[in-house]
Amino acid sequence: MRLTDEERGWLDGTRGPAVRRAMEILVALGEIYDAERLVPIRSAQLAGVSYANLGDAGLELLEAWARDGRVACPATLNPAGMDLVAWRAQGIPEKFAERQLRIVRAYETMGVRVSCTCTPYLVGNRPAPGEHLAWSESSAVTFANAVLGARTNREGGPSALAAALVGRTPAYGLHLDAARRPQVRVRVEAPLDSAADWGALGVAVGLRAPDRVPWIEGPPPPQEESLMALAAALPTFGGTPVFHLAGATPEADRWPPPADGFVVGRREIEDAYARLDDGADGIDLVYLGCPHATPETIRRLARCLEGRRVRVPLWIAAAREVLERAEADGTAAAIRAAGGTPVADTCFVVAPLRGRFRRVVTDSAKGCFYARGANAMQVRLAPFDACLEAALHGRMPARRAPPAAPGSPDASGDAAAAPLTARGAGTEGERGGGGPGAAAPADRGAPSGGPAGAVADAGPWRGRAIRHGAATGTTLVSPEPLSFYGGVDPVSGRVVERGHPLAGRSLAGRILVMPTGKGSTVGSYALYRMARAGTAPAAIVCAACDTVVAVGAILGEIPCVDGVDVGRIPDGRPAAVRGEEVTLLD
Ligand code: F3S
């Protein structure tokens, strides 16, 4: 990567140690992903705020950065682990609150605006089309790319902070046209009547095409709340932080639609609901506002609750600034009068609610995924109206599948999810240009499922060193991408994502082999925290390493190699990683 003389000086420390460290991260990422230069950014959105996620390791890292680091562009903050003002009323322990407030102070010292929301675009940080950003928070990243037409990779929390301190980010991945090009056509032939339905669409598309930029057609342009739900679910269940929706998103017309793809019908939508349904007996929380609620959703809830009283705790979370407006116009008071709780600064995933609520109903597919992993909740995905019903009556109505759209595969009895062409979803020639910030190519050399699919040779396999180093351990092969936040318990190092092929297995000390990372951008901090706690993998080998895993490996000093034909590496065998080489030892 070419640096200007000024940038070279920053790397040498002319702007102090924090900017030097930040430049080291940015230059490492730029070199890894073949960026030609740094590009100035309009703003940064920083994930990695909750003490529940960062632990003491993350807190100390941030306080070290805050000693002399100051942001060089507007920067906003993701939700914290508690209401920063009313945390006592929320039942937050003193020790947690003390650490959480230190984290927020560290960010504030660096000049970050303490917005504490995953919807910065609702509180003034709303980028214009074509603007370059360094955003973490996967739902906001996807919303910015797809709905606003801005340009950001799915940054890990530390790489977004590094970019904020420098004011620039390496120009690769979704900053470039090639990675934004649609790669798979998705025809939706199911009615989508609620934000929860749009989240279910994100689940279906993310699972079916985790590595490709989808071009979606069929539904009429939806409300912004539905686009937010799709933007939240898609990268949670897949990895693609951009989509194009015909007739609705600004870049959908820039390219011809891909020739190959698949249909999402009623069956796929219902499968998504079923995947996020752990049963509804004994609901003890109804949660709305993931991503954080818009003013319209808050008003809608207030209208629906008029003259009624909830029987189950009902939370609606939003940015503090949005809730202040709701306080001013009386809608927050109306929700409280009905027994509901407006929640600022935090959410049911990043707050320490483990054991306090066990069964939650929510209209967020993303929320279901992370509430299971982060707070051990049993979940049920349901549309807004059914959530309301659950809060008012303490029980869930049985889910009634909507009627199939006329002429859809479901209506005609044909198989849903049929490929659009005989060749199925996508061709090799169309998959290029994804880049690490877009969608890591999970099927390029993806593991074939351990010993059964492995080819019995001993390597060595060569790739590209993301983080140089040497390690030995036993291979642990995942055929699917893994999220280090929400998918792994950092204390034990065990995979906790339900249904994941590695569920229940410990990563500690193993040579983890996987296609790529997925999910939350807090994963970088989670990996760093695991390294500090001794629960991290000894080394990570990927087909295509995404930014979140790369930054976590750099910070945690975990040897990491990508570009390896990981489908050839067998599970459960002693192996060594040295530099850019992986070798079996037996
Ligand atoms: Fe936001 Fe929490 Fe959902 S950070 S996107 S409300 S998991």
Side-chain angles (χ1 to χ4, degrees):
M1 186 167 68
R2 282 194 318 273
L3 297 180
T4 64
D5 289 345
E6 187 183 41
E7 290 164 350
R8 207 169 293 284
W10 300 344
L11 191 57
D12 291 337
T14 55
R15 278 174 62 191
V19 168
R20 179 173 48 73
R21 268 195 309 275
M23 280 294 292
E24 285 168 358
I25 290 176
L26 299 182
V27 169
L29 289 174
E31 297 291 347
I32 290 167
Y33 296 123
D34 296 327
E36 290 186 356
R37 64 190 175 99
L38 294 175
V39 64
I41 54 169
R42 174 76 184 78
S43 71
Q45 164 73 11
L46 307 180
V49 186
S50 172
Y51 176 67
N53 300 335
L54 294 177
D56 288 332
L59 166 61
E60 286 158 20
L61 188 69
L62 287 169
E63 287 186 330
W65 283 55
R67 270 180 219 127
D68 73 320
R70 300 295 176 266
V71 296
C73 66
T76 42
L77 209 54
N78 236 32
M82 62 185 197
D83 184 316
L84 297 181
V85 179
W87 54 268
R88 279 198 179 82
Q90 243 173 19
I92 300 293
E94 293 273 344
K95 181 186 165 204
F96 184 98
E98 185 264 327
R99 305 286 161 94
Q100 181 62 78
L101 291 172
R102 275 173 59 190
I103 288 169
V104 169
R105 262 198 305 279
Y107 278 119
E108 212 169 6
T109 303
M110 287 187 267
V112 178
R113 189 174 135 211
V114 183
S115 48
C116 288
T117 182
C118 46
T119 54
Y121 45 86
L122 297 179
V123 294
N125 186 1
R126 192 172 178 102
E131 285 185 341
H132 294 278
L133 319 169
W135 281 21
S136 43
E137 170 46 46
S138 58
S139 69
V141 166
T142 310
F143 189 89
N145 279 318
V147 181
L148 303 179
R151 297 182 167 226
T152 175
N153 286 318
R154 187 173 68 99
E155 299 287 351
S159 64
L161 177 56
L165 293 171
V166 171
R168 300 179 191 189
T169 195
Y172 67 92
L174 287 165
H175 292 283
L176 310 177
D177 275 353
R180 307 175 70 86
R181 189 182 179 90
Q183 295 164 302
V184 62
R185 186 173 188 165
V186 180
R187 191 189 306 144
V188 180
E189 296 189 349
L192 301 175
D193 296 328
S194 64
D197 286 355
W198 282 84
L201 173 64
V203 177
V205 176
L207 290 172
R208 177 73 189 263
D211 57 334
R212 313 210 188 127
V213 177
W215 189 91
I216 303 170
E217 62 180 337
Q223 304 279 326
E224 183 152 306
E225 288 78 5
S226 296
L227 293 169
M228 288 163 62
L230 173 59
L234 194 63
T236 299
F237 292 87
T240 313
V242 65
F243 62 87
H244 304 293
L245 180 61
T249 58
E251 296 182 26
D253 296 336
R254 282 191 64 198
W255 296 279
D260 297 329
F262 57 90
V263 173
V264 171
R266 188 178 53 168
R267 188 176 307 164
E268 284 67 41
I269 298 299
E270 291 308 313
D271 282 350
Y273 273 98
R275 176 180 270 265
L276 299 174
D277 187 351
D278 301 328
D281 291 341
I283 301 161
D284 54 15
L285 177 67
V286 175
Y287 179 92
L288 300 170
C290 174
H292 273 172
T294 63
E296 174 47 32
T297 300
I298 297 170
R299 280 195 293 272
R300 181 182 178 196
L301 181 63
R303 277 196 307 273
C304 292
L305 288 175
E306 209 177 320
R308 307 166 94 178
R309 181 107 200 133
V310 299
R311 290 174 57 172
V312 172
L314 166 65
W315 287 17
I316 180 161
R320 181 170 290 277
E321 283 180 51
V322 170
L323 282 176
E324 281 169 357
R325 277 179 259 151
E327 295 289 354
D329 67 17
T331 45
I335 291 169
R336 269 196 292 272
T341 308
V343 172
D345 302 328
T346 190
C347 77
F348 74 142
V349 168
V350 299
L353 299 178
R354 185 179 283 250
R356 194 164 141 201
F357 297 108
R358 296 178 192 282
R359 285 177 187 257
V360 62
V361 176
T362 178
D363 65 347
S364 169
K366 172 180 176 174
C368 285
F369 179 90
Y370 287 111
R372 275 177 177 163
N375 273 328
M377 291 173 175
Q378 298 201 309
V379 300
R380 188 167 192 190
L381 176 66
F384 180 96
D385 289 342
C387 288
L388 190 66
E389 185 87 358
L392 290 170
H393 304 297
R395 61 173 188 274
M396 286 291 299
R399 175 155 174 78
R400 280 193 306 277
S408 75
D410 300 308
S412 64
D414 294 336
L420 292 176
T421 72
R423 280 183 298 155
T427 63
E428 278 306 321
E430 291 169 347
R431 290 176 196 165
D443 62 346
R444 195 172 61 210
S448 48
V455 176
D457 64 39
W461 300 280
R462 280 198 184 77
R464 172 180 62 164
I466 300 290
R467 202 270 168 191
H468 274 277
T472 56
T474 304
T475 57
L476 182 64
V477 177
S478 172
E480 290 183 15
L482 184 63
S483 172
F484 282 96
Y485 174 64
V488 180
D489 171 20
V491 176
S492 66
R494 286 189 188 282
V495 175
V496 294
E497 180 186 339
R498 198 165 310 169
H500 193 279
L502 297 188
R505 309 282 300 274
S506 172
L507 306 182
R510 306 294 292 269
I511 307 284
L512 175 63
V513 180
M514 63 179 183
T516 184
K518 69 169 183 178
S520 172
T521 56
V522 180
S524 301
Y525 283 119
L527 200 45
Y528 171 72
R529 189 177 169 190
M530 290 170 70
R532 291 283 301 269
T535 59
I540 301 173
V541 180
C542 294
C545 187
D546 69 305
T547 312
V548 173
V549 172
V551 173
I554 291 168
L555 284 176
E557 302 181 357
I558 302 165
C560 181
V561 184
D562 91 336
V564 174
D565 183 2
V566 292
R568 302 184 67 82
I569 302 179
D571 187 54
R573 301 274 294 276
V577 171
R578 282 188 200 90
E580 40 195 44
E581 202 170 275
V582 185
T583 318
L584 292 188
L585 295 176
D586 59 357

